[in-house]
């Protein structure tokens, strides 16, 4: 009752306080929505309905709202949304907010029905809301039609097939037809897909008809990017429609200011969409047509608006003079700067480089008032933009001042060798005055000097400008561990630079093992440099005996090459699907280095042990990414097919995949690829398939298909050795698979 006694403004003020509360703490969404729905119903004041529609649209589009709570609350809000959208003569602003909220709720309601097929009432309400929105789509004002287009886009996304192969384990927000089981009692997947196809045609009809309603055209174009990216099955139809759309059709009519704005808006939106799609997927078959269409639009726009927007000088200014104000004097071609000579007396180094007469600027302490980084940035920017002639004049002015000071400085008098009648200065009282020494005293002093090196004559100083000679101290001696640490920091900076470089849009052919490193300064070149630093830089230096007295203390605890290998290992595993080429290139370098070192050790006069790295790091990489493989992965097959050498330990890692029944097909397909394409390891791969057939019963049907061709004798012997029932099952399974 208290709420009904309040005015509309007071109620809206309280509702705004509740909105600020949930924006600050999303945990209150449930309580606030339950309390708000009765207040914003169809019987409430239109102001409250407007606030409620905007609030619901904001709530269900908020990423801070937990998806599970959002799904449960969407079921609660459906009844209110249905009554508001079906109300006759509904306010346009209310209708706009309700449709926005419905666009966010529709995928959630569809997922709820997929998992709860008994709730037919919820699906009936959602269907009624969808039918009402689609009915008013073409007759509503433009501001409502825009949100209707957004609603249609969400329906198309939800009722088409996603690119995610496992939708139930993928993105919770990506809801598609793949989530609907074939025998669902309420949802018919083919019917929903046909409805989505019709809605897409209805959206594209605006472009196919070359509509001149810029708001509707722009809204439609802005919704197509997500459809092309998340639903590739619709991309060809969408792109062909956009490429056939002519946003400059209105240019044939009289170009009024309104028409110009409409043409520019539609042309820019179309061009931005095509540029975004071509950059996001350069391998698209229509990328060439998109680029040509973009260039055609730019040329047409320049032809239509170029002549009208180009500024022309009036005829009387053709000679370059301004008729309103002409200069009577001649202007100097050189920039003017006033360089005054210094006044007599001592001067600091700052006085020599100061040209201004402003006392405030002369006494401004930059070191105390401006940060060093900002001062350096300002200085570099200023020097880069300054007129070269002005800078040359200023430098020449500093040189002239230094020359004048040098010439005006009197030659210093040495009191030890000056004659008696020469005074050092004009003071009457001189407490530091020395008597002149004779020749014998001077020679005795030189003989008793501790330095045997000849003394050089001191150069005359320039008063306050004289600077002593400064020598940098020798660098401290680094121990091996410090050297390794500094090297690790340098390699870490290289990895940081490499992460900022993008993959090349066009793959270049590999140049082989003898390719030049860092010839193009792209990501691949840096990878070549790093892998060769890890493998070749210290080749032959790793077999120093640890108990050698001569080398004790000179070998670091952690070798730099091992640190680089560890960084490479972490870099590959951060995104192993995209960086599998880095792993293959690295392991090829390791194998090559091991082969060269073994050959060198065999030719040495004394036998020595060579540390081998290829097998160790190949096994570590397999152990690193095997737990993250899924049944559709092609990474394992590609990785093993490009390694230079395979051994029994590597095949044992592949065999462990069969512990997961979903990865049996991946493991056996990879092994069979090696059997067919790599004859040197065919026997090892077939032995591994035999072991899989023996150890894993779930894998026997697929393994038997491969063994039937390559080792039929083993398969017959193994099936005869099995008990009668198991042998029959294995034979039947083999027949089915074959």
């Amino acid at each position: 009752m208290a709420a009904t006694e309040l005015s509309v403004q007071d109620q809206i003020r309280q509702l705004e306080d509740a909105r600020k509360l949930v924006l600050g703490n999303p945990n209150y969404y449930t309580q606030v929505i339950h309390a708000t729905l009765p207040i914003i119903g169809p019987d409430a004041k239109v102001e409250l309905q407007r606030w409620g529609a905007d609030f619901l649209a904001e709530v269900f589009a908020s990423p801070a709202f937990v998806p599970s709570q959002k799904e449960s609350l969407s079921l609660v809000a459906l009844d209110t949304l249905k009554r508001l959208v079906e109300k006759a003569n509904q306010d346009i602003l209310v209708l706009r907010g309700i449709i926005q909220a419905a666009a966010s709720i529709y995928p959630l309601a569809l997922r709820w029905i997929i998992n709860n097929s008994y709730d037919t009432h919820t699906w009936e309400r959602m269907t009624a809301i969808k039918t009402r929105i689609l009915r008013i789509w073409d007759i509503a004002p433009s501001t409502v039609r825009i949100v209707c287009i957004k609603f249609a886009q969400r329906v198309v996304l939800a009722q088409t097939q996603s690119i995610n192969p496992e939708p139930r384990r993928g993105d919770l927000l990506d809801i598609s037809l793949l989530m609907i089981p074939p025998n669902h009692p309420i949802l018919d997947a083919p019917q929903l897909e046909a409805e989505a196809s019709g809605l897409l045609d209805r959206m594209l009809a605006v472009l196919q008809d070359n509509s001149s309603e810029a708001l509707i055209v722009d809204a439609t174009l802005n919704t197509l990017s997500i459809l092309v990216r998340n639903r590739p099955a619709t991309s060809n139809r969408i792109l062909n429609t956009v490429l056939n759309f002519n946003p400059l059709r209105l240019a044939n009519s009289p170009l009024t200011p309104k028409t110009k704005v409409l043409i520019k808006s539609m042309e820019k939106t179309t061009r931005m969409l095509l540029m975004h799609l071509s950059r996001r997927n350069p391998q698209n078959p229509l990328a060439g047509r998109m680029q040509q269409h973009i260039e055609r639009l730019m040329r047409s726009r320049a032809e239509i608006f170029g002549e009208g927007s180009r500024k022309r000088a009036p005829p009387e200014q053709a000679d370059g003079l301004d008729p309103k104000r002409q200069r009577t004097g001649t202007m100097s071609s050189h920039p003017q700067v006033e360089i005054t000579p210094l006044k007599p007396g001592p001067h600091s180094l700052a006085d020599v480089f100061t040209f201004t007469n402003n006392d405030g600027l002369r006494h401004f302490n930059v070191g105390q008032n401006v940060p060093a980084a900002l001062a350096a940035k300002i200085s570099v920017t200023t020097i880069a933009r300054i007129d070269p002639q002005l800078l040359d004049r200023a430098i020449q002015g500093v040189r002239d001042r230094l020359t004048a000071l040098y010439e005006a400085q009197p030659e210093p008098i040495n009191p030890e060798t000056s004659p008696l009648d020469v005074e050092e200065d004009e003071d009457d009282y001189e407490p530091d005055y020395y008597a002149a020494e004779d020749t014998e005293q001077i020679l005795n002093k030189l003989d008793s000097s501790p330095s045997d090196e000849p003394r050089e004559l001191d150069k005359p100083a320039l008063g306050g400008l004289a600077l002593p000679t400064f020598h940098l101290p020798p660098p401290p001696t680094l121990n091996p561990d410090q050297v390794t640490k500094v090297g690790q920091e340098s390699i870490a900076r290289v990895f940081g630079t490499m992460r900022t470089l993008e993959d090349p849009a066009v793959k270049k052919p590999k140049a082989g093992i003898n390719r030049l490193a860092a010839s193009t300064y792209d990501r691949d070149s840096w990878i070549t440099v790093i892998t060769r630093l890890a493998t070749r830089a210290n080749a032959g230096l790793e077999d120093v005996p640890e108990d050698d007295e001569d080398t004790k203390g000179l070998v670091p605890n952690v070798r730099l090459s091992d640190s680089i290998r560890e960084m490479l290992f972490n870099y590959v595993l951060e995104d192993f699907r995209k960086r599998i080429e880095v792993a293959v290139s690295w392991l090829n370098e390791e194998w090559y280095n091991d082969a060269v070192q073994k050959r060198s050790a065999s030719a040495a006069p004394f036998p020595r042990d060579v540390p081998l790295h290829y097998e160790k790091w190949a096994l570590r990489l397999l152990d690193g990414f095997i737990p993250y493989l899924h049944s559709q992965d092609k990474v394992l097959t590609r990785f093993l097919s490009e390694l230079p050498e395979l051994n029994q330990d590597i095949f044992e890692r592949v065999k462990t995949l069969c512990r997961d029944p979903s990865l049996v097909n991946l493991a056996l397909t990879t092994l069979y690829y090696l059997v067919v394409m790599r004859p040197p390891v065919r026997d090892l791969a077939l032995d591994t398939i035999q072991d899989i057939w023996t150890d894993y019963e779930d894998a026997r049907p697929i393994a038997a298909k491969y063994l039937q061709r390559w080792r039929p004798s083993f398969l017959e012997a193994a099936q005869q050795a099995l008990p009668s029932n198991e042998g029959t099952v294995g034979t039947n399974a083999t027949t089915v698979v074959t």
Side-chain angles (χ1 to χ4, degrees):
M1 297 297 295
T4 57
E5 296 174 359
L6 296 175
S7 63
V8 175
Q9 289 75 13
D10 294 336
Q11 294 184 53
I12 293 178
R13 192 179 302 112
Q14 292 182 357
L15 292 173
E16 279 294 327
D17 294 338
R19 175 178 171 272
K20 294 177 182 178
L21 176 65
V22 296
L23 290 178
N25 189 354
N27 295 326
Y28 292 104
Y29 268 123
T30 304
Q31 297 89 325
V32 172
I33 290 178
H34 279 285
T36 303
L37 288 176
I39 303 176
I40 62 174
D43 298 331
K45 298 288 187 181
V46 67
E47 292 84 358
L48 296 175
Q49 292 183 23
R50 290 176 179 176
W51 185 93
D54 293 339
F55 177 68
L56 291 178
E58 180 184 35
V59 164
F60 289 106
S62 173
F65 200 1
V66 181
S68 58
Q69 296 182 1
K70 188 185 294 186
E71 180 178 304
S72 60
L73 287 178
S74 65
L75 307 179
V76 178
L78 272 181
D79 186 62
T80 303
L81 293 177
K82 178 177 177 295
R83 290 188 293 144
L84 286 172
V85 78
E86 290 181 346
K87 181 181 178 181
N89 300 324
Q90 181 61 278
D91 183 73
I92 293 178
L93 298 180
V94 176
L95 201 58
R96 177 185 175 89
I98 294 302
I99 297 175
Q100 285 179 309
S104 301
I105 289 175
Y106 186 82
L108 303 175
L110 182 62
R111 183 172 62 189
W112 169 263
I113 297 301
I114 292 173
N115 300 324
N116 304 274
S117 58
Y118 63 88
D119 193 0
T120 58
H121 183 59
T122 297
W123 184 242
E124 290 174 357
R125 286 182 294 179
M126 190 70 251
T127 304
I129 295 174
K130 178 173 67 172
T131 304
R132 173 63 178 169
I133 294 174
L134 298 180
R135 186 182 299 119
I136 65 175
W137 184 353
D138 294 330
I139 61 175
S142 298
T143 182
V144 178
R145 293 175 63 188
I146 292 174
V147 293
C148 289
I149 294 172
K150 181 63 179 177
F151 177 81
Q153 179 220 38
R154 298 304 298 270
V155 173
V156 173
L157 281 172
Q159 295 183 186
T160 49
Q161 294 185 1
S162 171
I163 58 176
N164 187 4
E166 298 180 3
R168 295 180 182 272
R169 296 170 56 185
D171 187 5
L172 295 177
L173 301 179
D174 190 7
I175 301 162
S176 68
L177 285 183
L178 294 178
M179 301 177 64
I180 303 177
N183 55 348
H184 198 281
I186 299 178
L187 302 177
D188 185 7
Q191 182 179 356
L192 293 177
E193 189 172 11
E195 182 186 13
S197 179
L199 286 178
L200 180 60
D201 291 338
R202 191 172 173 183
M203 292 172 59
L204 298 178
V206 177
L207 304 179
Q208 293 171 350
D209 297 339
N210 284 326
S211 175
S212 59
E213 298 182 67
L215 291 177
I216 307 302
V217 171
D218 291 349
T220 303
L221 292 172
N222 289 330
T223 59
L224 297 180
S225 175
I226 299 177
L227 290 174
V228 174
R229 183 170 68 247
N230 294 339
R231 301 295 183 265
T234 64
S235 61
N236 286 336
R237 193 187 338 175
I238 293 174
L239 288 176
N240 286 323
T241 304
V242 174
L243 291 175
N244 293 327
F245 171 64
N246 181 18
L248 304 174
R249 189 177 65 88
L250 286 178
N252 297 326
S253 59
L255 290 180
T256 62
K258 178 181 178 181
T259 306
K260 291 181 180 180
V261 172
L262 297 179
I263 295 174
K264 291 180 179 180
S265 175
M266 292 187 291
E267 185 273 336
K268 183 177 181 180
T269 307
T270 306
R271 179 161 42 87
M272 291 297 105
L273 172 64
L274 293 175
M275 291 174 63
H276 170 72
L277 295 178
S278 61
R279 290 174 181 174
R280 190 174 185 87
N281 185 14
Q283 306 301 327
N284 193 304
L286 297 177
R289 286 188 59 192
M290 287 190 284
Q291 187 62 34
Q292 293 176 2
H293 195 71
I294 293 170
E295 296 175 357
R296 190 183 306 115
L297 288 177
M298 296 176 64
R299 288 196 302 268
S300 301
R301 176 190 172 100
E303 293 174 359
I304 295 173
F305 301 105
E307 296 297 331
S309 60
R310 187 180 298 116
K311 296 182 179 179
R312 300 178 180 176
E316 58 271 15
Q317 297 184 24
D319 56 353
L321 300 177
D322 188 354
K324 296 182 179 179
R325 180 181 300 172
Q326 297 184 0
R327 297 184 182 272
T328 56
T330 59
M331 296 179 61
S332 175
S333 60
H334 298 284
Q336 300 295 322
V337 57
E338 183 179 0
I339 303 177
T340 58
L342 294 176
K343 298 179 180 179
H347 295 280
S348 65
L349 192 62
D351 295 336
V352 176
F353 285 87
T354 302
F355 295 155
T356 181
N357 296 324
N358 191 326
D359 292 336
L361 293 177
R362 293 172 67 91
H363 296 90
F364 179 75
N365 193 336
V366 178
Q368 295 181 356
N369 296 280
V370 181
L374 180 60
K377 184 177 181 180
I378 294 174
S379 302
V380 172
T381 306
T382 305
I383 293 175
R385 297 181 178 179
I386 198 171
D387 190 344
Q389 296 181 355
L390 182 63
L391 181 61
D392 293 340
R393 292 200 61 195
I395 294 174
Q396 186 60 40
V398 173
R399 290 173 178 169
D400 295 342
R401 286 184 174 184
L402 289 174
T403 303
L405 286 175
Y406 185 84
E407 293 176 352
Q409 184 70 23
E411 183 179 357
I413 300 176
N414 189 349
E416 298 179 356
T417 59
S418 61
L420 291 176
D421 57 344
V422 178
E423 295 183 355
E424 198 170 43
D425 50 27
E426 298 178 358
D427 292 342
D428 295 336
Y429 173 71
E430 180 55 63
D432 295 330
Y433 176 77
Y434 316 108
E437 298 179 1
D438 57 11
T439 304
E440 184 177 358
Q441 291 176 329
I442 294 174
L443 293 176
N444 291 336
K445 181 180 292 186
L446 292 175
D447 292 339
S448 62
S449 176
S451 176
D452 296 332
E453 298 177 357
R455 299 175 58 187
E456 297 181 358
L457 294 177
D458 294 335
K459 296 180 180 180
L462 297 179
L465 297 178
L467 296 177
T469 303
F470 178 75
H471 298 283
L472 287 174
T477 304
L478 300 179
N479 57 42
D481 291 335
Q482 291 175 333
V483 172
T484 303
K485 184 178 180 181
V486 173
Q488 291 173 354
E489 294 175 355
S490 301
I491 297 300
R493 288 195 297 271
V494 174
F495 272 97
T497 302
M498 193 167 60
R499 285 185 174 90
T500 62
L501 299 176
E502 298 180 354
D503 294 336
V506 179
K507 297 284 186 179
K508 297 182 178 179
K510 297 181 180 179
I513 197 71
N514 293 321
R515 61 190 179 276
L516 296 176
S519 57
T520 57
Y521 302 100
D522 56 0
R523 190 180 70 97
D524 293 340
S525 297
W526 282 115
I527 290 171
T528 305
V529 171
I530 291 176
T531 54
R532 293 187 179 178
L533 283 177
T535 58
R536 303 189 188 185
N538 57 347
L541 303 178
E542 296 181 340
D543 53 348
V544 178
E546 297 181 357
D547 55 351
D548 192 350
E549 295 295 335
D550 297 335
T551 60
K552 186 173 295 183
L554 300 179
V555 179
N557 297 327
V558 180
R559 299 182 185 275
L560 180 60
S561 59
D562 293 336
S563 301
I564 300 175
R565 290 184 175 100
E566 193 68 34
M567 293 180 187
L568 273 170
F569 173 76
N570 295 328
Y571 174 76
V572 171
L573 289 189
E574 284 177 2
D575 192 356
F576 67 90
R577 288 185 176 85
K578 291 185 178 179
R579 297 172 182 171
I580 199 66
E581 288 187 358
V582 179
V584 171
S585 175
W586 169 32
L587 291 178
N588 276 277
E589 292 283 352
E590 293 285 7
W591 177 85
Y592 176 75
N593 177 60
D594 291 351
V596 171
Q597 294 306 311
K598 286 190 291 186
R599 182 184 301 175
S600 175
S602 62
F606 302 100
R608 57 187 177 92
D609 295 332
V610 176
L612 303 178
H613 302 281
Y614 167 74
E615 182 178 354
K616 169 188 173 182
W617 291 102
L619 294 176
R620 282 197 62 183
L621 283 172
L622 280 173
D623 294 337
F625 69 74
I626 276 181
Y628 301 99
L629 296 176
H630 57 75
S631 59
Q632 304 295 326
D633 254 323
K634 300 295 189 297
V635 176
L636 180 64
T637 305
R638 180 181 179 186
F639 180 69
L640 295 179
S641 64
E642 296 187 10
L643 287 184
E645 182 180 350
L646 300 176
N647 54 28
Q648 187 61 38
D649 293 334
I650 294 177
F651 283 107
E652 287 295 329
R653 298 301 197 277
V654 179
K655 179 181 172 183
T656 58
L657 286 173
C658 296
R659 297 173 183 173
D660 186 352
S662 64
L663 299 179
V664 169
N665 189 29
L666 173 64
L668 290 173
T669 304
T670 302
L671 292 172
Y672 184 69
Y673 180 85
L674 297 176
V675 169
V676 176
M677 304 303 295
R678 297 193 66 173
V681 297
R682 179 176 297 166
D683 292 336
L684 285 176
L686 289 173
D687 292 341
T688 307
I689 296 177
Q690 288 182 187
D691 295 340
I692 292 174
W693 191 94
T694 305
D695 297 340
Y696 301 100
E697 295 184 4
D698 296 338
R700 288 180 181 177
I702 305 177
K705 180 179 66 172
Y706 302 142
L707 294 174
Q708 185 70 34
R709 176 181 177 184
W710 295 96
R711 291 189 178 177
S713 58
F714 165 80
L715 185 60
E716 294 174 1
Q719 289 179 351
Q720 292 175 1
L722 291 175
S724 59
N725 56 349
E726 295 183 8
T728 305
V729 172
T731 305
N732 294 338
T734 303
T735 304
V736 172
V737 174
T738 303

